[in-house]
Each structure stands twice: as C-alpha cells, then as structure tokens.
Amino acid sequence: MPLDNAPESKRKFNVVGTRPLRPDGIDKVTGRARFGADASAPGQLVGRILRSPHAHAIIKKIDTSKAEKLAGVKAVITRDDFPDHTGGSGGLYDTLCNVMAREKAFYEGHAVAAVAATSASIARAALKLIKVDYEVLPHVTDVDEAMKPNAPLLHKDMFTDGVDPKPKKPSNVARRFEFGHGDVEEGFKKADIIVERSFKTEAAHQGYIEPHAALASMGPDGSAELWCCTQGHYMVRDVCSQLLGIDIARLRVTQSEIGGGFGGKTTVFIEPVALALARKANRPVKVVMTREEVFKASGPTASTSIDIKIGVTKDGMITAADGTFRYQGGPFQGCSPAEFGGMSAFAQFHLDNVRAVAYDVVANRPKTISYRAPGAPMANFAVESVIEELAHKLGMAPIDFRIKNAAREGTKSSYGPTYGPIGLGATLEAAKNHPHFKAPLGPNQGRGMAAGFWFNFGGQSCVTLNIPIDGSITVSVGSPDIGGSRASMCMMVAEELGIGYDQVRAIIADTSSLGYNDVTDGSRTTFATGMACILAARDAMKKLCARAAATWGIPEDAVTWEKGYAKPAGANAGNFAPLSLKEIAAASPGTGGPIAGHHEYSADGAGVSFATHICDVEIDPETGRSQIVRYTVIQDAGKAVHPSYVEGQFQGGAVQGIGWALNEEYIYGKDGRLQNAGFLDYRIPVCSDLPMIDTQILEIPNPGHPYGVRGVGETSIVPPLAAIANAVADATGVRFTQIPLSPPRVLKGIEEAKKAGGKKAA
Amino acid sequence: MARVVLWGSLKPHTGGKLEVDIEARNVGELLARLGETYPGLQNQIKRGVSVSIDGLIYREGWLEPLRPDSEVFLLPRMTGG
Amino acid sequence: MSGITVNTKINGDPVEFICEADETLLDVLRNRLGLTGAKEGCSTGDCGACSVTVDGRLTCSCLVLGAEAEGHNIGTIEGMAHGESLHPLQSKFLEHAALQCGICTPGILVAAKSLLEKNPDPTETEIRFGLAGNLCRCTGYDKIVRAVQDAAKEMRSGKSAKSKATAKKRA
C-alpha cells in the first residue's frame, strides 16, 4: 500500500473533482443551522458592552455603582476584572488591552465596561448608568499624519524597530521592514523609462453578515464553556484561558456555524468579555455585537499610503522596482500586515533589482486583523497600476509586458526564496487567450487587468475518522468550515478509501474532543486539514487491512486496499474473497473492537498562488459611477477538490475586491469618530451592482500535496483593486491613485482632466 | 552549516550582515543558534518567524532538516485571512 | 414593564406571544419563539438577513415591531419546505452551491420566493434587483442568481405545477 506523499498528477480521481451536495446544506437552506447568535442556555443573561465615544482618551475613573444597583443587573465588569496574566507586553497583552481598555481608550468604540442583565433593555439601561471619567487626548487616524514627527503619540515607549541606529524619540511607527535583492539605484540607471507614483487606500471591513456572537458559561471553579462564531475555536480557547488565568483544558469551546469571517474572526473581541461576565454572574451570558459595534470595534484591514517606482528598458524589461509601504494597523504594533504588503508587492515579477520598505504604523482606529490575503491587495493596486502605465508608455500591450517580466520556476522572488513550479505564466497566457480579452468594448467602457500573488500556508491539523459497524464514516475535523470545507474533507476521505461520498460525513469537533487545529486562515484548510484527512484515511485503511489479515490468518503486509475492499496482495497471499469496508466494519466488535483512523501533524509545503483578473467597466460620464460589465477570474488551484466551491472562492474574493475598489471605505470625522458604521453608508456590493463573475480554474499540481491541491481562498481578492483602477483609467483616460473609486472622486478626476485638456493623474 | 538570509531590517541586529552562517541541522536548531549568536534577533524570533527552505515556507516545522546547500530564508511569521 | 399580548399566524399556524413594546418582530421570532432561521445582520433594514413575509409581502423583520404582527400572517424560512420536500429554490441553492457560509441564505430564499411569486419568469436583471436588498459577502451572487433562474425554470415547468399543487394541498 503506497503511503508516499508524492503528487500524483496523472492520477484519475473518482470523487475529487466532482460537485456533490454539501453535508451541511439542508440545515442551511431550511434555517436550522445554528450560528453564533442562535444558541441559548438555561438562565442565560444578556451581555452588553460600553464603548468609548472618544478616539483617544485617558480613562481616569469608572463608576459602576449605579449600574450595579439596577434591578436585573447581575454583573458589571471593567479593566479591574481583567488582571494581567500576560506579563505586561507582547501580542497577548495588546489583545487584553483591546478586549477591555486599561489606562487609555485608543479608538472610538474601544470597550471600557460591560454588563450582564436579565434582559436587553435592562442591560442597555445599565450601560447608561456607568460613569466614565475621560481625559480626552489629541488623536490621529490617517497613516501619513500618524507618521509625522509632531503627531499625537499613542505609546510613549514605541521606538521604531528595524532602524539603525535605534531612534532616540518615540513615534507611531512600530516597525520597519525591508525586503529585496540586487541594487535598485544601479537598476534605475539602466532604465529608459521610469514611472513613480504615490497611492492611498482606505481601510475596508471584511463585512461578514454575521456579527460576532458568544455564549459563555463559567463556574467559580474556573471550568468554562464557550459557544461562538470564530475561524479558530482552539485559538479562542488558548487566548481566552490565558487572558482569564485558567488552565486551557478547563475551557471547552464549541464552534457554531460561522456566518463569514474572511480573516476578521481570527482573533478574540467579545469572547473574553462574555466569559468574565459569566464568571462574575455565575450564569450563562450571551454577548452579540450590533453592526455598529462590528464596524467600530472589530478588526477591519489597514489603510495605506504607498510609493512605487519602476524602471524599464525600451524593449520592456524591468530593470528595478522600488516601493515604500505605510500600513496603519490600529493602536497596537504588529497588527497591520505591512510586512506582507512589502513581501507580496512585486512577487509576480522576475526582478534583478527590487526593494520594498514597509512601515507598521499605529493610529487611533480599531485594532486591525487579517482580511483575505492580508496586506497584498493594496500593494498590488499600487504596483499593477504603475505596470499598466509603463506598458502604455512603452507602447506595449500590458499583457505582453506582464508575460515578458513574469516570475517563473527558478525566479528569485522579491521576498527572497526561489520559486518552484508556479502557475503565474499559465494564468497570464490563459488571460491572453480568453474570449473576454478579445471582446469589443462599448462606449464609455474600459478594460483592465492585473495579476496577483498570495503565499498560502499549512499549519497544524488534527483529524479523527470513526468507522461504525455499518461501514459509514464520521470525520471529526477541528477546522471551522466557512465555505464548504466539510464537503471537500468528505470527498478526500471517500477518494482515499475508494468509497462513495455519501458514506462519509464530516463534523467540526469541539476543543475538548480533538487535538489542536490552527485557525482556518491562510487558505490552509483544504490543503492542510485535507491532507490530515487523507492521512487519517490511510491510517484507517491500514487498520482495516490488519483486520482482514487477522480474519484470513495471513500477515498484514499480505493485504492490500483497493476501491473500498481489502484484498490478498497477489497469489502467494492466499485465495480469499475480498472483504468490503462494510463487512470489515460489521465484524469489528469481534476482531478487535472499534476501528478509527487518526492523524495529527503540522503541514508545510503549501504552494504559492497566482491569479490574473480581467475587468470591463462602464463609466457614467455625468455621475462618475462605475459599473462592472464583465469580470473574469483565472487562478491556479493546483487541483480543485470541489470545483463549485473553488469557483465560489474566486467569485467571492473578486467581488470583495470590487467593493473595496469602488465603494467601501472607513470615513472618519475630524473628531476621530467613524461616520459610516452601517451597511447603508459602508456600501458592500449588492446583487444589482454586478455581472456574472466568470471563472477559469487552472490545475498545476502543488508538489507539496498528494493530490496537488493548493489553497485558493485568498488570492482572488488581490488583483481586483488594480484591475478595476486600470479599467477605469482605460475608460476615462485618467489614472486614479486613490481608492475607493467612488462616483464623486471619478467625476472630479474626469472634470479636472477635461479642464487640463488631456490625460493626467488624479 | 547552513547559510540563512535575513530580511533587510534585521541588519542592525547582526552587525550589518544579511547572510549569516549557522551550525544547525534543522529549523529548531537554526532559530536557537540565531538567537544565541545575535541576541538582538531574539525579540523577533519570539514574536514569530517563518523559515523558507528551498522555496517552501515552514511556519512551525522545527524538525525540518537543513542541508548545507539548502536555500534558507528567515521571514516574518505568516498569517492569513 | 407590561407585556403586550399578540395573536398572529406564523407559517400558517396560530401563535400567541407576549412581547415588550420595543421588541422587534425579529427579536420575538428569535428570542421568544425559537425561530432562529431569520438572522440579525444589521437591525437597520440594510442587509435582508432577517427577511420574512407579512401577509405575503417581503419585509425586514428587524424593522417591524413584534406588537405589529397582531392579526397578520407571517412567513419565515422555517415554513418554506413542506414535510420532507424542499422548495425548488432550496434544492437549487444546494445544487448550484449558491451558499458558502449560509448566514444570508434564509433571507435570500425568502426574498427569492417572494420575487418568483410576483414574477415567475424574471430576467437576470430583475433577479438582481429583486435580491438587491439581501447582502451576501461570500458568493459574489453569481451562483445565487443562477440558482434562482434554474428554480424559476423548474417551477414554470410541469414538475413545478405538481409540486405547487402538493404544497397547496398541504397548506
């Protein structure tokens, strides 16, 4: 029985690559599926959080006495209920400061107190009775403003890391990163044409439709249970127990169905608060964020300011690429994905001279958290805009310019390592040959494209597979299923065992039932947890073969597994009729007891991912409104396990990118308060905004996976910002360097260009 | 002996060197020796790093072997959405 | 605090409940009646996750007070399937993979059913505008639109006439 991990690129699949119905589907179309806010517990209280109205303020005193006296109030908590168990510094301490403000409120919406009461109306009334004495401080929300020497300081002890010599004065710049190789100054000397531009992108929110929700229960002995919507319930368990100072094993976290995450549910916000309230009240407490709280107090992505300079020779070879990336990540260091912006910005090119300098900047905004390919879309927007402009200056088709300079196997990537087999060239060639690329454009329409990159990774997974006496199979996984991964897990187990998809069911186990699993992020689940499923199935297969061997009285290695049957391996093994999975399972009580397969490991070898997007946009010259009229996503999936859900990832990521490019932005007033904390004013794309999103799945097997699978979840949000900006430039003749490309901004750009009498950058 | 390439802004911690040679058989030993040899790197290693070996990125993988001819890069710890 | 007694019909069944004056219909459905299929995504009528029908009219249940349900017929996602048979929209959503996380799915199904009752043969544009009040962040809507088109086609065919008849008989 081969147990090697080599990719089987020529392998014929029976289940993988088909499109079966998902196992959780009926619950989700009938309203039965239980999401975060859908659970309740006997005697449960309603928990609500009081939040800072100020962008930056010292919290001098919190008086909770009146709230505590209100009938129906069972617990009121503040910073005093969160003694520091973290050692007073580092990422965990920052998380503690974020879930409940300590000395200072760092942004509008920062939690300062919480109550648990017998009803929502009593809880609301109690919040109004809490008196907080603030000393309001000057604030800063813009990334460029925050970097100025005279900017209001968030932390007196923040000295930029990664600068030589170490700065003498504190600043809002937490860290400096530098990546690259070669000599960019020398490279620019060889260039015939150089384009240099500055860009800005606003913060976008992941915009999951399900607000954060948690139902906590905790006894005086420290034993606790938590039900919540999260991308990683083991992460929630570990972080909450450390913040509350209890043994990790005492906290059991059950993951509800999750109503979208996109990176936004890879940390904790309300979960430790719900537990602390439950501990104090000694009753279950349910905390559910409002939409306003989601916008103001969960984690959007970074806002950025980026400078790009790229030089080319007359024949279209890039000689040097240089970029400065400033990412604002909220009030704590290490939260903005500045380093990933710097690392990914030029990753789609073969470059001899490249430099990316990235700054992680703090400001008075919510603590940012990952959003699908964190950091990459903004950098890609800047770089691919300059690439398009260079192509026009060269008189070269942008697609040919990209193909000419594309990274390939053996290229030293802009972030260091040398690429193995990658699919970028294939996506570019597929784009060039796509009918979309040749289709005629109508009046006021323009076409743009962009290629994008994301790393992907593996991480820790643990899977158990149980085989009851009828030969059906339960797969317990610990990776929250956000977009249909239970289906792909079942498919891979069925494929491996040579049985039908309908025989396999997957569930998401709670943290006490199964070993640790990393958060569902980094496009890792189908790759890493899927591989653990495959290896758990192989473990079960070995045990099934052993049972057959024992039944036949032959050595275990004389039995092989084929298409759902144990068979004697060759004529010498003996002449026995094959035993089916069902037969072996039925006999299991008498042949050694229950049969289970298991695998635990840390998966590495996730292949990097590339995508090319093509976009047609039509501009209304009177209003500046952009309408996407056609959109095509071409991406390498390695091997698409369930093609419908791979397409779904491509389409969903592209549309999130469309929203970010055209409408979505965090708008702050001069008072540092968010002015559009609702879906009416923070406008995510609606059905009538969009055309169908065409997809083309390429399958260039990943050598790090037995089926060749690559992660597909994130890369699709990387190219849209640039593809749309390039299409708008094509339609209007105006190069926009700031997103979102909202109607007023586009209209202003068009009108200014008219006045200037030609092309210009806005 | 493995040659590991650091990212640019770590230079202040290694006396200006971007490539350093470390006696290590695997990733775990590499990180331990890096921290011992260049104490200024300890903070970053504690905060989290990934290691790329011959083009594949490892986030945990302390037991991953390093060959003398392996291409090794120290990278920031990977996260995702 | 004095509760208000409300008599209503939900998915055809008579229901009596007591609620506070400031409770929304969504609060009542979810917290008092255990009908958690309607979701709260925004509580301002912007996301459509709480979509129900009131006397056949598509409504955001977060914008209606519980007390206002007095004497009306409320339709929720829980009433969409009949016994073991899924509504064609439900089946087509599964077949077309028109859901990823599934939080918006109940609201979108209620809205799509309401749309097809008024317009059994909608164009793609009509479907897109018909569902414009229901946000989905996962799918990009492509597969949702295709599922609605396919369900509409099936419902217009002989097959659907039969399933409608069954549905009527059961109701």
Side-chain angles (χ1 to χ4, degrees), chain A residues 572-611:
Chain A
N572 295 340
N575 188 18
F576 302 101
L579 281 172
S580 70
L581 173 62
K582 283 186 183 182
E583 289 167 316
I584 300 171
S588 63
T591 60
I595 303 174
H598 183 80
H599 196 76
E600 65 216 354
Y601 80 147
S602 177
D604 282 302
V608 296
S609 167
F610 291 92

Tab-separated table of all heavy atoms in Angstrom, chain A residues 572-611:
chain	number	residue	atom	x	y	z
A	572	ASN	N	0.414	-15.386	-3.791
A	572	ASN	CA	1.055	-16.051	-2.653
A	572	ASN	C	0.338	-15.803	-1.329
A	572	ASN	O	0.489	-16.551	-0.372
A	572	ASN	CB	2.506	-15.585	-2.515
A	572	ASN	CG	3.316	-16.035	-3.721
A	572	ASN	OD1	2.912	-16.961	-4.431
A	572	ASN	ND2	4.429	-15.369	-3.956
A	573	ALA	N	-0.432	-14.686	-1.278
A	573	ALA	CA	-1.097	-14.325	-0.026
A	573	ALA	C	-2.245	-15.267	0.311
A	573	ALA	O	-2.702	-15.340	1.446
A	573	ALA	CB	-1.595	-12.896	-0.112
A	574	GLY	N	-2.711	-16.001	-0.672
A	574	GLY	CA	-3.833	-16.901	-0.418
A	574	GLY	C	-5.025	-16.501	-1.253
A	574	GLY	O	-5.096	-15.385	-1.759
A	575	ASN	N	-5.954	-17.385	-1.373
A	575	ASN	CA	-7.107	-17.150	-2.228
A	575	ASN	C	-8.339	-16.843	-1.373
A	575	ASN	O	-9.080	-17.739	-0.986
A	575	ASN	CB	-7.348	-18.384	-3.108
A	575	ASN	CG	-8.413	-18.107	-4.164
A	575	ASN	OD1	-8.710	-16.944	-4.439
A	575	ASN	ND2	-8.987	-19.164	-4.706
A	576	PHE	N	-8.490	-15.553	-1.041
A	576	PHE	CA	-9.630	-15.159	-0.216
A	576	PHE	C	-10.493	-14.171	-0.994
A	576	PHE	O	-9.969	-13.327	-1.720
A	576	PHE	CB	-9.158	-14.498	1.074
A	576	PHE	CG	-8.250	-15.366	1.906
A	576	PHE	CD1	-6.877	-15.189	1.893
A	576	PHE	CD2	-8.796	-16.382	2.711
A	576	PHE	CE1	-6.045	-15.992	2.658
A	576	PHE	CE2	-7.956	-17.187	3.477
A	576	PHE	CZ	-6.582	-17.001	3.455
A	577	ALA	N	-11.784	-14.266	-0.788
A	577	ALA	CA	-12.679	-13.306	-1.435
A	577	ALA	C	-12.492	-11.955	-0.761
A	577	ALA	O	-12.390	-11.890	0.469
A	577	ALA	CB	-14.126	-13.760	-1.284
A	578	PRO	N	-12.397	-10.860	-1.546
A	578	PRO	CA	-12.194	-9.530	-0.957
A	578	PRO	C	-13.242	-9.216	0.112
A	578	PRO	O	-14.406	-9.634	-0.014
A	578	PRO	CB	-12.340	-8.585	-2.145
A	578	PRO	CG	-12.087	-9.426	-3.345
A	578	PRO	CD	-12.525	-10.816	-3.002
A	579	LEU	N	-12.806	-8.491	1.138
A	579	LEU	CA	-13.735	-8.056	2.188
A	579	LEU	C	-14.011	-6.559	2.002
A	579	LEU	O	-13.073	-5.759	1.909
A	579	LEU	CB	-13.119	-8.286	3.569
A	579	LEU	CG	-13.158	-9.723	4.112
A	579	LEU	CD1	-12.324	-9.818	5.391
A	579	LEU	CD2	-14.580	-10.182	4.364
A	580	SER	N	-15.283	-6.203	1.966
A	580	SER	CA	-15.616	-4.795	1.790
A	580	SER	C	-15.456	-4.050	3.109
A	580	SER	O	-15.409	-4.652	4.180
A	580	SER	CB	-17.049	-4.640	1.295
A	580	SER	OG	-17.947	-4.995	2.324
A	581	LEU	N	-15.403	-2.715	3.001
A	581	LEU	CA	-15.361	-1.866	4.201
A	581	LEU	C	-16.518	-2.216	5.114
A	581	LEU	O	-16.363	-2.359	6.331
A	581	LEU	CB	-15.427	-0.393	3.768
A	581	LEU	CG	-15.558	0.651	4.861
A	581	LEU	CD1	-14.353	0.640	5.790
A	581	LEU	CD2	-15.720	2.042	4.259
A	582	LYS	N	-17.701	-2.401	4.521
A	582	LYS	CA	-18.888	-2.720	5.325
A	582	LYS	C	-18.726	-4.023	6.072
A	582	LYS	O	-19.101	-4.145	7.243
A	582	LYS	CB	-20.137	-2.773	4.433
A	582	LYS	CG	-20.640	-1.409	4.072
A	582	LYS	CD	-21.936	-1.433	3.310
A	582	LYS	CE	-22.283	0.005	2.959
A	582	LYS	NZ	-23.506	0.175	2.259
A	583	GLU	N	-18.188	-5.022	5.379
A	583	GLU	CA	-18.022	-6.331	6.025
A	583	GLU	C	-17.005	-6.265	7.162
A	583	GLU	O	-17.224	-6.840	8.238
A	583	GLU	CB	-17.577	-7.383	4.981
A	583	GLU	CG	-18.683	-7.757	4.010
A	583	GLU	CD	-18.181	-8.543	2.803
A	583	GLU	OE1	-17.130	-8.156	2.225
A	583	GLU	OE2	-18.845	-9.528	2.444
A	584	ILE	N	-15.925	-5.570	6.937
A	584	ILE	CA	-14.898	-5.467	7.991
A	584	ILE	C	-15.461	-4.690	9.178
A	584	ILE	O	-15.264	-5.062	10.336
A	584	ILE	CB	-13.622	-4.797	7.451
A	584	ILE	CG1	-13.034	-5.617	6.300
A	584	ILE	CG2	-12.581	-4.649	8.554
A	584	ILE	CD1	-11.896	-4.937	5.546
A	585	ALA	N	-16.218	-3.617	8.871
A	585	ALA	CA	-16.807	-2.811	9.947
A	585	ALA	C	-17.820	-3.634	10.741
A	585	ALA	O	-17.852	-3.579	11.976
A	585	ALA	CB	-17.466	-1.567	9.350
A	586	ALA	N	-18.631	-4.412	10.044
A	586	ALA	CA	-19.658	-5.214	10.727
A	586	ALA	C	-19.015	-6.232	11.665
A	586	ALA	O	-19.547	-6.544	12.733
A	586	ALA	CB	-20.538	-5.921	9.695
A	587	ALA	N	-17.856	-6.751	11.268
A	587	ALA	CA	-17.184	-7.766	12.083
A	587	ALA	C	-16.309	-7.148	13.173
A	587	ALA	O	-15.776	-7.869	14.027
A	587	ALA	CB	-16.316	-8.649	11.173
A	588	SER	N	-16.165	-5.809	13.171
A	588	SER	CA	-15.168	-5.176	14.047
A	588	SER	C	-15.342	-5.497	15.539
A	588	SER	O	-14.331	-5.682	16.227
A	588	SER	CB	-15.120	-3.668	13.808
A	588	SER	OG	-16.353	-3.072	14.135
A	589	PRO	N	-16.593	-5.594	16.083
A	589	PRO	CA	-16.681	-5.877	17.520
A	589	PRO	C	-15.945	-7.167	17.896
A	589	PRO	O	-15.369	-7.261	18.985
A	589	PRO	CB	-18.180	-6.008	17.764
A	589	PRO	CG	-18.818	-5.220	16.679
A	589	PRO	CD	-17.918	-5.397	15.486
A	590	GLY	N	-15.941	-8.156	16.987
A	590	GLY	CA	-15.302	-9.428	17.290
A	590	GLY	C	-13.849	-9.537	16.853
A	590	GLY	O	-13.160	-10.495	17.202
A	591	THR	N	-13.372	-8.529	16.061
A	591	THR	CA	-11.997	-8.654	15.540
A	591	THR	C	-11.042	-7.664	16.193
A	591	THR	O	-9.948	-7.441	15.695
A	591	THR	CB	-11.969	-8.438	14.010
A	591	THR	OG1	-12.464	-7.105	13.736
A	591	THR	CG2	-12.794	-9.459	13.267
A	592	GLY	N	-11.465	-7.051	17.300
A	592	GLY	CA	-10.551	-6.127	17.979
A	592	GLY	C	-11.193	-4.829	18.418
A	592	GLY	O	-10.512	-3.957	18.951
A	593	GLY	N	-12.518	-4.702	18.190
A	593	GLY	CA	-13.209	-3.505	18.656
A	593	GLY	C	-13.281	-2.418	17.596
A	593	GLY	O	-13.024	-2.664	16.417
A	594	PRO	N	-13.645	-1.199	18.028
A	594	PRO	CA	-13.905	-0.129	17.063
A	594	PRO	C	-12.691	0.169	16.181
A	594	PRO	O	-11.553	0.019	16.600
A	594	PRO	CB	-14.235	1.080	17.939
A	594	PRO	CG	-13.785	0.727	19.308
A	594	PRO	CD	-13.815	-0.757	19.409
A	595	ILE	N	-12.999	0.619	14.963
A	595	ILE	CA	-11.919	0.991	14.042
A	595	ILE	C	-11.949	2.504	13.847
A	595	ILE	O	-13.003	3.078	13.559
A	595	ILE	CB	-12.082	0.281	12.678
A	595	ILE	CG1	-12.119	-1.240	12.877
A	595	ILE	CG2	-10.939	0.672	11.733
A	595	ILE	CD1	-12.412	-2.021	11.608
A	596	ALA	N	-10.798	3.111	14.044
A	596	ALA	CA	-10.695	4.558	13.854
A	596	ALA	C	-9.366	4.882	13.211
A	596	ALA	O	-8.365	4.209	13.452
A	596	ALA	CB	-10.828	5.287	15.186
A	597	GLY	N	-9.368	5.894	12.401
A	597	GLY	CA	-8.118	6.393	11.832
A	597	GLY	C	-7.838	7.752	12.430
A	597	GLY	O	-8.753	8.473	12.834
A	598	HIS	N	-6.567	8.104	12.501
A	598	HIS	CA	-6.237	9.371	13.135
A	598	HIS	C	-4.987	9.933	12.490
A	598	HIS	O	-4.108	9.178	12.074
A	598	HIS	CB	-6.013	9.142	14.633
A	598	HIS	CG	-5.746	10.413	15.376
A	598	HIS	ND1	-6.755	11.268	15.761
A	598	HIS	CD2	-4.589	10.985	15.788
A	598	HIS	CE1	-6.225	12.308	16.376
A	598	HIS	NE2	-4.910	12.154	16.415
A	599	HIS	N	-4.926	11.256	12.435
A	599	HIS	CA	-3.659	11.855	12.021
A	599	HIS	C	-3.528	13.236	12.631
A	599	HIS	O	-4.478	14.003	12.674
A	599	HIS	CB	-3.528	11.943	10.501
A	599	HIS	CG	-2.110	12.188	10.075
A	599	HIS	ND1	-1.161	11.205	10.079
A	599	HIS	CD2	-1.478	13.320	9.698
A	599	HIS	CE1	0.003	11.699	9.702
A	599	HIS	NE2	-0.157	12.981	9.462
A	600	GLU	N	-2.343	13.515	13.136
A	600	GLU	CA	-2.067	14.836	13.698
A	600	GLU	C	-0.711	15.270	13.177
A	600	GLU	O	0.210	14.472	13.114
A	600	GLU	CB	-2.057	14.768	15.225
A	600	GLU	CG	-0.948	13.912	15.787
A	600	GLU	CD	-1.358	13.136	17.041
A	600	GLU	OE1	-2.469	13.348	17.535
A	600	GLU	OE2	-0.559	12.313	17.493
A	601	TYR	N	-0.618	16.533	12.750
A	601	TYR	CA	0.672	16.989	12.253
A	601	TYR	C	0.652	18.481	11.967
A	601	TYR	O	-0.356	19.160	12.146
A	601	TYR	CB	1.066	16.195	11.002
A	601	TYR	CG	0.425	16.614	9.698
A	601	TYR	CD1	1.124	16.490	8.506
A	601	TYR	CD2	-0.849	17.144	9.663
A	601	TYR	CE1	0.566	16.866	7.315
A	601	TYR	CE2	-1.413	17.523	8.467
A	601	TYR	CZ	-0.695	17.387	7.294
A	601	TYR	OH	-1.241	17.774	6.115
A	602	SER	N	1.778	18.964	11.558
A	602	SER	CA	1.899	20.339	11.124
A	602	SER	C	2.259	20.301	9.640
A	602	SER	O	3.333	19.851	9.269
A	602	SER	CB	2.989	21.042	11.930
A	602	SER	OG	3.144	22.348	11.458
A	603	ALA	N	1.332	20.741	8.821
A	603	ALA	CA	1.522	20.632	7.371
A	603	ALA	C	2.315	21.810	6.850
A	603	ALA	O	2.030	22.951	7.173
A	603	ALA	CB	0.168	20.608	6.674
A	604	ASP	N	3.315	21.524	6.090
A	604	ASP	CA	4.001	22.600	5.388
A	604	ASP	C	4.037	22.243	3.911
A	604	ASP	O	3.568	21.184	3.524
A	604	ASP	CB	5.399	22.792	5.965
A	604	ASP	CG	5.346	23.556	7.283
A	604	ASP	OD1	4.832	24.681	7.269
A	604	ASP	OD2	5.765	23.013	8.315
A	605	GLY	N	4.571	23.125	3.107
A	605	GLY	CA	4.628	22.823	1.685
A	605	GLY	C	3.430	23.348	0.915
A	605	GLY	O	3.126	22.869	-0.173
A	606	ALA	N	2.724	24.325	1.504
A	606	ALA	CA	1.627	24.944	0.752
A	606	ALA	C	2.253	25.721	-0.401
A	606	ALA	O	3.158	26.512	-0.180
A	606	ALA	CB	0.857	25.880	1.653
A	607	GLY	N	1.794	25.484	-1.596
A	607	GLY	CA	2.383	26.188	-2.748
A	607	GLY	C	1.843	27.603	-2.838
A	607	GLY	O	0.703	27.870	-2.483
A	608	VAL	N	2.678	28.536	-3.311
A	608	VAL	CA	2.209	29.909	-3.516
A	608	VAL	C	1.168	29.935	-4.634
A	608	VAL	O	1.076	29.001	-5.424
A	608	VAL	CB	3.363	30.865	-3.856
A	608	VAL	CG1	4.331	30.960	-2.703
A	608	VAL	CG2	4.077	30.420	-5.130
A	609	SER	N	0.409	31.001	-4.665
A	609	SER	CA	-0.737	31.049	-5.572
A	609	SER	C	-0.754	32.338	-6.385
A	609	SER	O	-0.415	33.405	-5.872
A	609	SER	CB	-2.003	30.938	-4.717
A	609	SER	OG	-3.141	31.271	-5.461
A	610	PHE	N	-1.137	32.215	-7.634
A	610	PHE	CA	-1.227	33.379	-8.522
A	610	PHE	C	-2.583	33.404	-9.217
A	610	PHE	O	-3.172	32.356	-9.489
A	610	PHE	CB	-0.134	33.323	-9.599
A	610	PHE	CG	1.252	33.525	-9.065
A	610	PHE	CD1	2.026	32.438	-8.694
A	610	PHE	CD2	1.773	34.803	-8.908
A	610	PHE	CE1	3.312	32.617	-8.197
A	610	PHE	CE2	3.056	34.993	-8.414
A	610	PHE	CZ	3.824	33.900	-8.054
A	611	ALA	N	-3.042	34.617	-9.511
A	611	ALA	CA	-4.278	34.767	-10.273
A	611	ALA	C	-4.149	35.952	-11.206
A	611	ALA	O	-3.427	36.900	-10.923
A	611	ALA	CB	-5.455	34.997	-9.330
